[in-house]
Amino acid sequence: FPTRRSSDLNSQNADSYFWEFGDTSTLGDTSNIKDGYYRYQTAGNYTVRLVAKKGNCVDSIRKNVTVFDRIHFKLPKDSIICKNTLITIMPDTFYKEGIYTWNTGATDSIITVNTEGIYWLNVKLGNCNSYDTMLINKDQAIVELLSDSLVCNPVTYELEAKLSVSGNFKTIDWYSEPNVTGSNYHDSFLNIHQSGYFRISGVNWNDCPYTDT
């Protein structure tokens, strides 16, 4: 990536300096100042040469320089973890020679966690670093079946009750013993006329499973 790269090559008390930065794509990869620098436009391996003169004496030195591509990655958007589940965190870009460091102490490119919190990843490639964070919150969406008791309707003299579901949910399925709902009942309430066992299950607003009886 474009970078101002100065070498640790140096010369003391010379009268003149000549830098050649080894970029064959241009003729402008030279400098005549003491602390020469150059901005590379393309990643790759380059040979930097410094020639120093003092009077009739001339000395030179070469050094290989590696320029890496810019490190750019993103962790997933902030997420919600469901109860008793695991979530895998991975960057959207991988670097084969990158050094990965997570705030958990892990050094793999991917981690799996089961607790809420802030997670960050630092990737180092050569002398280049990049960093990103994500927040994982615990699912706190509650979906529950409100209890009720059978009462006698004073008009019809029948036992009746209304079971209602509280909370934000995307899907709901009912199960009862004896079976009074059938297999395709998905409303948020159920009118009943006899005692029994009733259960709801499904997925809440955070796409986490729930169940209540």
Side-chain angles (χ1 to χ4, degrees):
F1 65 96
T3 179
R4 176 171 170 165
R5 174 65 189 234
S6 59
S7 175
D8 58 3
L9 304 178
N10 61 75
S11 176
Q12 299 294 326
N13 302 318
D15 295 330
S16 64
Y17 305 89
F18 176 75
W19 291 86
E20 190 174 46
F21 291 94
D23 187 353
T24 58
S25 66
T26 179
L27 297 177
D29 65 333
T30 61
S31 175
N32 292 312
I33 64 175
K34 179 181 178 180
D35 297 319
Y37 62 86
Y38 179 70
R39 187 180 296 272
Y40 291 94
Q41 300 297 323
T42 306
N45 297 313
Y46 301 89
T47 299
V48 178
R49 182 170 70 104
L50 169 62
V51 179
K53 294 183 179 181
K54 185 174 179 63
N56 294 324
C57 298
V58 179
D59 196 8
S60 66
I61 188 173
R62 285 180 170 84
K63 186 172 182 179
N64 293 325
V65 174
T66 299
V67 178
F68 293 96
D69 284 320
R70 182 184 299 276
I71 304 176
H72 180 74
F73 73 90
K74 290 291 185 181
L75 292 178
K77 294 181 180 179
D78 294 347
S79 183
I80 292 178
I81 188 170
C82 302
K83 183 179 180 181
N84 299 323
T85 61
L86 300 174
I87 187 170
T88 298
I89 307 176
M90 67 176 69
D92 60 357
T93 304
F94 294 93
Y95 297 91
K96 183 178 180 180
E97 298 180 358
I99 299 175
Y100 292 79
T101 304
W102 296 84
N103 62 316
T104 62
T107 56
D108 293 329
S109 59
I110 301 173
I111 61 172
T112 300
V113 300
N114 61 359
T115 56
E116 61 181 333
I118 296 176
Y119 294 89
W120 57 257
L121 170 64
N122 181 77
V123 180
K124 182 176 182 181
L125 189 62
N127 293 323
C128 305
N129 287 272
S130 188
Y131 173 92
D132 196 22
T133 65
M134 73 171 295
L135 174 65
I136 295 181
N137 289 309
K138 181 172 61 176
D139 172 45
Q140 297 184 3
I142 298 176
V143 180
E144 58 184 349
L145 185 59
L146 302 180
S147 61
D148 202 350
S149 299
L150 287 168
V151 296
C152 183
N153 186 310
V155 177
T156 63
Y157 299 103
E158 292 182 348
L159 293 174
E160 61 181 28
K162 183 177 182 179
L163 298 180
S164 299
V165 178
S166 172
N168 294 320
F169 57 87
K170 289 184 178 180
T171 65
I172 182 172
D173 294 302
W174 289 81
Y175 172 81
S176 64
E177 294 180 3
N179 184 3
V180 297
T181 61
S183 59
N184 294 311
Y185 190 78
H186 307 290
D187 287 343
S188 60
F189 65 92
L190 176 65
N191 293 315
I192 60 175
H193 300 279
Q194 57 183 316
S195 60
Y197 170 83
F198 301 89
R199 184 182 72 219
I200 57 171
S201 62
V203 174
N204 67 20
W205 198 250
N206 293 324
D207 290 320
C208 293
Y210 72 85
T211 184
D212 194 26
T213 58

